[in-house]
Amino acid sequence: MADVTSIFSPTPLTFPTEALTEPTILTPTSRSSVLEGITLEHTLLQEFSKFREDYEFRQNQKSLQGEENQTMETKALIFTVLFIVLTLRFLIGKLKRHPNLPPSPPWSLPVIGHLRLLKPPIHRTFLSISQSLGDAPIFSLRLGNRLVFVNSSHSIAEECFTKNDVVLANRPNFILAKHVAYDYTTVIAASYGDHWRNLRRIGSLEIFSNHRLNSFLSIRKDEIRRLILRLSRNFSQEYAKVEMKSMLSDLTFNNIIRMVAGKRYYGDGVEEDPEAKRVRQLIADVVALAGAGNAVDYLPFLRWVSDYEKRAMKLASRLDEFLQGLVDEKRDAKEKGNTMVDHLLSLQETQPDYFTDRIIKGNMVARDEIDCKVGLDRLIDESDISNLPYLQNIVSETLRLYPSVPMLLPHVASEDCKVGAYDMPSGTILLTSAWAIHRDPQLWEDPTSFKPERFEKEGESQKLMPFGLGRRACPGSGLAHRLINLTLGSLIQCLEWERIGEEKVDMSEGKGGTMPKAKPLEAIFLLTRSNRKLKLPPSPAISLPVLGHLHLFKTPLHRWFLTLSKSIGNAPIFHLRLGNRLVYVVTSRSIAEECFTENDVVLANRPKFIVSKHVGYDATHLLSAPYGDHWRNLRRIAAVELLSTQRLNSFLYIRKDEIRRLISRLSRDSFHGFVEVEMKSLLGNLASNNIIRMLAGKRYYGEENDEAKFVRQLVAEVVISSGAGNPADYLSVVRWFTNYEKRIKDLGNRFDTFLQRIVDEKRADKEKGQTMIDRLLSLQETQPDYYTDDIIKGLILSLTIGGTDTTAVTLEWAMSNLLNYPEVLRKARNEIDDKIGFDRLVDEPDIVNLPYLQNIVSETLRLYPAVPLLLPHLSSNDCKVAGYDVSRGTMVLTNVWAMQRNPTLWEDAEMFKPERFDKAGEADKLLPFGMGRRACPGAGLAQRLVSLVLGTLVQCFEWERVGDELVDMTEDKGATLPKLVPLRTMCKARPIVAKLI
């Protein structure tokens, strides 16, 4: 066995004497550190001597123990001593100091160093430290285990990024950069070298070159135009208050993401889109974690107690999944676009070894001057900026006082160097306070005042460094300058701006690496400039702040809209401000045709209402889904799989069975004379049972069990809640004072539970039926990724809303008209008796041979369209309608009820005259089911059912009014034009009923 005692022979531990030789000047802190090191070494050596003596004594006492125990103890002692010796050498080695470091604040604590001094905003903290050290232009900090130099001098910054530019061209390795920036391989985080130079070259030549930026000008102009139009919606002839932070953020993010991938995730039209929500949250999470590192980056032991790295890894995984999706989507696209990803993928085809997916994912007085140089006949363009020096000065002064990154991205020294006559050891982090440099009174006259005129002096702009200097300066500075100048110029040109109140805008800075405002900017503006650009239809005179024209609302809406139209000279189209929404109301058929032919795609969207969000599966069902691939798929499924002629023919037995049940119900007491019956509930039961039997094979109406009562109540609530929205959809503040949204959420949950139950029941059935749900479940087996349960439930919801109440009210109005016009009823009965006879009931194929019956249905739909205001449309882009400007996001309501009573279009427009449709082409003027892409897909089913039910009722019964008075034709409130007074009538079964039923 080796002589263990030799291990404890005192090894000479030499202190680095070169640190004490001339011309070194020790500060009080360094002198204290040296003395502490010497004392520490002496104390440890004394303890080693005692330990060795104790060890030799114990060895003598344990001489009788086994050799194995001695060996184990020996190994333990060897490792213990080695650990102590190495620790001692490490501690003494750490005492070595570079002789000429910049000044540093006192009280650097063990382990954490100066971390305790850091308070947000960090650029102001650093300025305070500099001032406490005698306005030191550069000082040093110990942040945990890292040495950091903080520079606030323009001359030293120039020295760093000219003379020492290569040495300081590296970035520190922070945890976030490791996991989010693809292991430090992006252009921002990569180490200086060949790889970074390649990335920089790609950025300069392929992404941020003048040619590429010019090719993306259309995106910048479009996003700015969207911003102006979005602001203009609040225009009501007075100054309008607006919160600018979110709007400017939306513009910036959309501009970048559209350049990169051709997608919009921010602003109008995508607020509730699930993918956009997910992306917005993802980007917000990345921005929140970005910056000059976390405490874990400076104190590695915190990794053991903090979940920061775990969160960074999880965030990186989410971000990579999103970026990979964009890359794959672009790669799979048949038509190549003009986005940055498209261009990088084209380079990947020629250089696949370098342009990997990982590389691609890592790169993703002014008004007077403008009026004079640009004029009032066009909007400012990017090419105008060079001729607008004062505008450029405003941008320069803003970047001087409020650089978006006040502390430039950190640099790290790759080797020892000199900075400002101080020694900078290899591995030192350099932070440059552009904010402090831009406010240096020795560099700028009156440095804290906002004076754009200062940049009229030649050479002043060269003192700016908002985007950094040297090799690692921001490669996107050209794009930033273009976008800032064009956006600011457009806002100044188009709008008059004022502060809210007399107080100046609060310029306090918030926390963050990009110097946000502590209080988001709110301002008021007057649309005196853009209204020359936007030609709006006429509008009622009284528009209140916030409310707009909501205070004028009266029901029924279709009559109120007609009254408003007449009040402004029978305007065929007019606009309203309903809270925060701009609404166009169309009362002219020719304008409606223009909307749904020439502008059909632009107006093919639906507005987002609270009910469509919570009941309509986040606006993903057929009636409320935005126009796009998803909606087209839903429409195809409905047209081919559910509502095709073949499918409707297969459900004919259901329609005939429900009609027979109605006839049996009416004839129970009417064989021997007239009896009074209430028709509304009977017709409602028939229409609802027909739809639900087609969907699920169940009957819930006319039944008295608890389940049937529950379903009837539930469907009634859903139908009532659908329509053109609630005040909470137009005034967000209403959500705070009412429980409307809470009630709608509860309704959505209850209806979803009901739909899921019937889907699960159908899925569990061993014998597959012929219902619509059965068909959708069979499609789900072959395409489970698309035909999800939510898609199936959404289709059920659409057909339930569209096919129950609408059919019932149409039948009720038709019967009411027949009772008020008995000569029409006699003529219809004679037609059926002549064409069908008395030996069989009217059948669906007979309808084509009953033109007068069809005329009655058409006249009913003319005077009493089931949806008097077609489902609202939303413009997805700017367009022209009837010579007026329709800005993106405008809601369009089509008053079919008013059109179909227009005396210039119809003779005796208020009279019920089915004979008018004997004239060829008259039926083409009807729009009861809408027009264009978003026309009702169930129109064929509705026509079949209404015609067959009405023909059968006329064939089987004698009908009379209750008393001599005409049936009350007053309309009630509701989206589907119900009758105020439910129809009650007298009926008597004809002999054919006893014969055939």
Side-chain angles (χ1 to χ4, degrees), residues 631-769:
W631 176 83
R632 281 190 289 267
N633 276 330
L634 293 178
R635 177 78 181 208
R636 178 186 56 79
I637 294 167
V640 175
E641 305 292 349
L642 305 180
L643 298 171
S644 65
T645 300
Q646 180 184 359
R647 293 293 290 172
L648 293 182
N649 288 341
S650 71
F651 292 128
L652 175 59
Y653 75 95
I654 293 177
R655 296 191 288 279
K656 294 172 72 171
D657 181 63
E658 288 300 326
I659 291 171
R660 288 179 69 90
R661 289 171 183 267
L662 173 63
I663 299 303
S664 297
R665 170 70 180 81
L666 288 170
S667 63
R668 288 176 191 169
D669 303 314
S670 64
F671 279 114
H672 305 294
F674 282 94
V675 295
E676 184 177 346
V677 292
E678 188 272 308
M679 294 298 294
K680 179 173 182 172
S681 60
L682 296 176
L683 296 172
N685 291 348
L686 180 146
S688 299
N689 276 331
N690 177 68
I691 285 292
I692 296 178
R693 285 181 69 180
M694 290 169 62
L695 289 167
K698 289 177 174 274
R699 296 187 81 253
Y700 290 117
Y701 293 78
E703 310 290 336
E704 294 306 320
N705 57 70
D706 292 339
E707 181 184 16
K709 290 180 180 178
F710 167 77
V711 172
R712 290 198 297 270
Q713 179 60 33
L714 189 60
V715 172
E717 289 183 55
V718 171
V719 171
I720 291 172
S721 67
S722 62
N726 181 274
D729 291 304
Y730 302 93
L731 292 171
S732 301
V733 69
V734 174
R735 299 187 184 190
W736 306 342
F737 303 107
T738 70
N739 66 344
Y740 172 73
E741 187 164 14
K742 182 179 179 181
R743 289 189 291 107
I744 293 300
K745 284 183 179 179
D746 175 68
L747 174 61
N749 290 334
R750 288 186 288 125
F751 198 68
D752 178 70
T753 301
F754 161 64
L755 294 180
Q756 190 62 58
R757 177 162 54 82
I758 62 176
V759 169
D760 290 339
E761 287 177 3
K762 280 293 178 183
R763 184 183 286 117
D765 283 348
K766 295 181 179 179
E767 295 184 5
K768 301 302 179 184

Side-chain angles (χ1 to χ4, degrees), residues 11 103 239 280 396 412 457 517 624 632 665 698 758 782:
T11 303
Y239 277 97
R280 290 197 297 268
S396 295
V412 66
K457 183 180 177 181
K517 286 182 87 280
S624 64
R632 281 190 289 267
R665 170 70 180 81
K698 289 177 174 274
I758 62 176
T782 57

